[in-house]
Amino acid sequence: MSNSENKNKKYIILGVIALIAIFVGWRVISKEEKINAEAASAAAAEKYANSDNVRGEGRVAAYPGGVVDVGTEVGGRLVRLLVSEQQQVKKGDLIAEFASEELQAALLEANAKVAEVDANITLLELEEKRATALKADKSISQQAYDKTVNTLASARAQKQVAIAAVKRIQASLAKSRIYAPISGSITARNVEEGEIVPAGTPLVTISDLTKRRIEAEIDEYDIGKLSVGDSVTITAEGYEGETWTGVLEIVPDAVNPRKLTPFDPGRPKDTRVLLIKVTLPQEAPIKLGQRVEVSIKAVQ
């Protein structure tokens, strides 16, 4: 083997040794980093578990039924939208109306059909009375009498069909006018007058801002320190120096994975949490969906 070939072989061997050393070193570092991360998480958990206060993060939310997306069942051209954002509405207020000319014309036609059948029934009832009298005198055959009676019954059935058509069109007309299902504030307006709106589209969102609360995530190791009725201190970014006092209203029966990243980087992120519900004073200026922090005096 030539000197050149020996030299190349030597370089290859040295390169392989270097790669093995790098790989082994990386494995050692990765293992150390994992151990350090686990230790840091355990230390953070112990720190907060031993704290005098139970702390957590959450958001301002409405009570169930306090936020409603108002949609439409019929769709069509929106001819009137009577509300704007931040406007206050009361339950039952008219907030939108869809084009309904065709339905109104159909209703007129259906009502005319009912009137036509009514007039026919009046005539047939007279004929039925005459047929009854003639039958008593045996001046009419049973077949002729039965035909008169059946014609009257058929007309009365036609009237029920015509009335059902009227009610069906009236129901469709009612759906073309949209009313507020709850009292509250318009917090979103998603369409404009003149748009062709598909059925099921949310038109506006109504929020009852007088019924808000905090839904906050509390680490699972703090569950035993909580009781319904506990006083809760609430703070929010953008309101430095301001606090509000709420009351722990609901302690759920199940824990769930954490959804919010803690403000404090020292807090453990891999624990499961309890989504508690806390009352919020009506005068608090924080908005729906805003991020907040809560602090609860731990039960010793």
Side-chain angles (χ1 to χ4, degrees):
M1 182 179 295
S2 66
N3 291 334
S4 176
E5 290 176 341
N6 287 332
K7 189 175 182 179
N8 288 338
K9 185 177 182 181
K10 180 179 179 182
Y11 286 148
I12 291 172
I13 293 172
L14 290 174
V16 171
I17 293 173
L19 288 174
I20 293 173
I22 292 172
F23 178 74
V24 172
W26 175 80
R27 290 290 302 272
V28 171
I29 292 172
S30 297
K31 186 175 182 180
E32 289 179 353
E33 288 179 346
K34 183 178 180 181
I35 293 172
N36 290 338
E38 290 175 349
S41 179
E46 182 178 0
K47 170 186 173 182
Y48 286 100
N50 295 327
S51 172
D52 288 338
N53 290 331
V54 174
R55 297 197 295 161
E57 292 83 27
R59 294 192 184 279
V60 181
Y63 279 84
V67 176
V68 178
D69 291 324
V70 183
T72 168
E73 294 184 47
V74 293
R77 181 169 57 88
L78 186 64
V79 294
R80 289 204 297 166
L81 185 58
L82 305 174
V83 295
S84 55
E85 289 190 18
Q86 297 187 326
Q87 179 178 335
Q88 297 294 316
V89 296
K90 293 182 180 180
K91 182 178 180 179
D93 285 351
L94 178 65
I95 60 177
E97 186 173 2
F98 285 86
S100 59
E101 293 87 349
E102 291 185 7
L103 285 173
Q104 290 172 359
L107 182 60
L108 287 174
E109 184 178 351
N111 280 324
K113 181 64 176 178
V114 172
E116 179 185 349
V117 175
D118 259 338
N120 190 35
I121 288 174
T122 299
L123 178 61
L124 291 173
E125 285 175 343
L126 291 174
E127 291 184 0
E128 192 267 344
K129 287 181 180 179
R130 285 196 295 269
T132 300
L134 291 171
K135 181 176 180 294
D137 294 338
K138 297 183 180 181
S139 300
I140 188 175
S141 67
Q142 183 67 39
Q143 182 179 4
Y145 175 77
D146 291 343
K147 183 177 179 181
T148 301
V149 171
N150 289 338
T151 301
L152 176 59
S154 177
R156 286 171 173 165
Q158 289 175 17
K159 179 179 179 180
Q160 295 306 311
V161 172
I163 291 174
V166 169
K167 290 181 178 180
R168 185 165 53 250
I169 296 169
Q170 288 174 333
S172 295
L173 269 173
K175 292 177 183 178
S176 70
R177 296 168 65 86
I178 311 300
Y179 298 90
I182 64 171
S183 299
S185 176
I186 304 295
T187 51
R189 172 173 155 152
N190 306 313
V191 295
E192 297 296 334
E193 289 183 0
E195 289 187 29
I196 302 299
V197 181
T201 300
L203 307 178
V204 299
T205 299
I206 303 177
S207 303
D208 184 354
L209 301 180
T210 65
K211 297 179 180 179
R212 299 171 301 154
R213 65 183 180 185
I214 304 296
E215 295 183 352
E217 295 182 347
I218 300 298
D219 295 317
E220 61 183 339
Y221 48 71
D222 284 326
I223 292 175
K225 303 175 183 178
L226 304 177
S227 297
V228 171
D230 286 347
S231 179
V232 182
T233 300
I234 304 163
T235 58
E237 288 189 349
Y239 296 92
E240 285 73 12
E242 293 190 59
T243 62
W244 303 276
T245 301
V247 176
L248 180 54
E249 186 178 45
I250 297 175
V251 178
D253 295 325
V255 296
N256 298 285
R258 185 187 296 278
K259 293 183 179 179
L260 298 176
T261 301
F263 285 123
D264 186 346
R267 289 182 65 83
K269 301 179 179 62
D270 56 351
T271 58
R272 293 171 68 81
V273 295
L274 196 68
L275 191 64
I276 64 170
K277 313 299 192 299
V278 177
T279 62
L280 179 67
Q282 186 173 340
E283 66 273 12
I286 46 182
K287 311 298 184 184
L288 280 177
Q290 187 169 351
R291 186 81 177 261
V292 299
E293 290 186 274
V294 299
S295 178
I296 309 167
K297 184 67 176 178
V299 176
Q300 301 299 329

